[in-house]
């Protein structure tokens, strides 16, 4: 039970996010209206994606410093979970954009940057599948993973700020201020970020253990 406290916390945080996020009162803001509730899903998933992909990069660096199957597996599984969160983030963002901007895809700089970033990571999965030898696959994938993350950060956080963007916090459009994130929203938003991120860690933990077990069984056959 002591080892599983964070899993219990994950469940409680996500139940709290969904229940309170859907049922609680939210500020009546122009244009946003009830869609402001997507703040508890879309944005935390992107936060979780960044943190999970950072975990993937850390384990890629660890693999390059000290090659081991475990480091490679965790880096790979974390990248896949990060990509999943990224896809969910884009889908929820497109739904939000439809209600607030009038169309699912408006070629907003941050939308385009997110799409390019995900394509870079899809290429990571393709790259891994193109090598049969484990050490070569792990080494080349680790190097690519580092550069992929280095490219993702400017695409999401730097380039959108250099041009006009509809997204809050970009192109001179303020974000995370008293208008679009008041104290009542913060009470759910921050637990949501932690909850979704912990869910990603939980998935990585399960998938990594299964993959390591599969490889161990394969070696003993």
């Amino acid at each position: 039970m002591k080892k599983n406290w964070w899993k219990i916390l994950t469940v409680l945080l996500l139940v709290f996010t969904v229940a309170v996020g859907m049922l609680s009162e939210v500020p009546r803001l122009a244009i946003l209206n009830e869609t402001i509730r997507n703040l508890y899903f879309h944005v935390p998933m992107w936060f979780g994606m960044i943190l999970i992909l950072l975990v993937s990069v850390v384990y890629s660096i660890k693999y390059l410093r000290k090659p081991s199957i475990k480091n490679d597996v965790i880096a790979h599984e974390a990248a896949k979970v990060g990509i999943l969160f990224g896809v969910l983030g884009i889908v929820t963002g497109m739904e939000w954009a439809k209600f607030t901007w009038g169309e699912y895809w408006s070629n907003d700089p941050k939308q385009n940057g997110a799409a390019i970033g995900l394509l870079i990571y899809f290429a990571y999965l393709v790259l891994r599948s193109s090598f049969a030898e484990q050490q070569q696959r792990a080494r080349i994938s680790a190097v690519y993973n580092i550069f992929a993350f280095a490219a993702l950060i400017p695409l999401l956080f730097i380039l959108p700020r250099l041009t006009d963007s509809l997204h809050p916090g970009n192109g001179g459009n303020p974000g995370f201020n008293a208008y679009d994130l008041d104290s009542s929203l913060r009470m759910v938003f921050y637990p949501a970020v932690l909850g979704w991120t912990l869910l990603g860690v939980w998935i990585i933990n399960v998938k990594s253990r299964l993959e390591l077990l599969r490889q161990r069984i394969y070696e003993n056959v």
Side-chain angles (χ1 to χ4, degrees):
M1 181 63 71
K2 291 182 179 180
K3 294 182 179 180
N4 295 324
W5 66 268
W6 64 275
K7 297 178 182 178
I8 298 173
L9 177 62
T10 301
V11 173
L12 293 176
L13 287 172
L14 292 179
V15 170
F16 173 80
T17 297
V18 174
V20 179
M22 289 298 184
L23 300 177
S24 64
E25 292 290 332
V26 293
R28 307 302 300 180
L29 303 179
I31 302 176
L32 293 174
N33 296 314
E34 287 292 324
T35 67
I36 192 66
R37 298 182 190 277
N38 201 17
L39 182 74
Y40 308 139
F41 304 94
H42 169 63
V43 182
M45 286 177 182
W46 279 107
F47 274 63
M49 177 195 73
I50 295 297
L51 294 173
I52 290 167
L53 290 179
L54 178 60
V55 170
S56 178
V57 170
V58 169
Y59 275 90
S60 288
I61 295 173
K62 289 178 67 175
Y63 179 85
L64 293 174
R65 295 183 61 184
K66 186 178 180 181
S68 70
I69 294 178
K70 181 179 179 180
N71 287 337
D72 176 54
V73 166
I74 295 177
H76 181 212
E77 297 300 337
K80 290 195 293 185
V81 174
I83 292 170
L84 172 63
F85 273 49
V87 171
L88 292 174
I90 278 194
V91 171
T92 53
M94 288 173 62
E95 287 293 330
W96 205 355
K98 176 63 176 177
F99 282 95
T100 56
W101 302 343
E103 53 187 350
Y104 290 109
W105 201 270
S106 58
N107 285 321
D108 180 80
K110 197 153 193 174
Q111 281 184 323
N112 292 336
I116 294 171
L118 282 179
L119 288 175
I120 291 173
Y121 270 94
F122 284 139
Y124 165 82
L125 299 179
V126 174
L127 178 69
R128 280 192 66 93
S129 65
S130 64
F131 294 98
E133 202 277 317
Q134 190 274 330
Q135 291 187 356
Q136 183 184 36
R137 178 176 64 243
R139 185 170 61 255
I140 294 177
S141 297
V143 173
Y144 182 93
N145 194 18
I146 295 170
F147 283 100
F149 188 79
L152 182 68
I153 299 304
L155 286 170
L156 292 182
F157 300 108
I158 298 178
L159 295 181
R161 292 179 178 273
L162 302 179
T163 184
D164 292 331
S165 175
L166 295 170
H167 268 84
N170 297 281
N173 187 12
F176 293 98
N177 56 20
Y179 176 77
D180 54 14
L181 191 61
D182 69 6
S183 57
S184 64
L185 294 174
R186 292 175 193 272
M187 289 180 61
V188 184
F189 175 75
Y190 291 122
V193 171
L194 181 58
W196 290 116
T197 302
L198 286 176
L199 177 63
V201 173
W202 193 348
I203 297 172
I204 294 168
N205 180 268
V206 173
K207 288 177 64 64
S208 297
R209 289 166 59 189
L210 287 174
E211 179 60 22
L212 289 170
L213 180 61
R214 186 191 68 80
Q215 292 195 21
R216 191 176 305 167
I217 293 173
Y218 178 79
E219 291 173 357
N220 294 330
V221 172

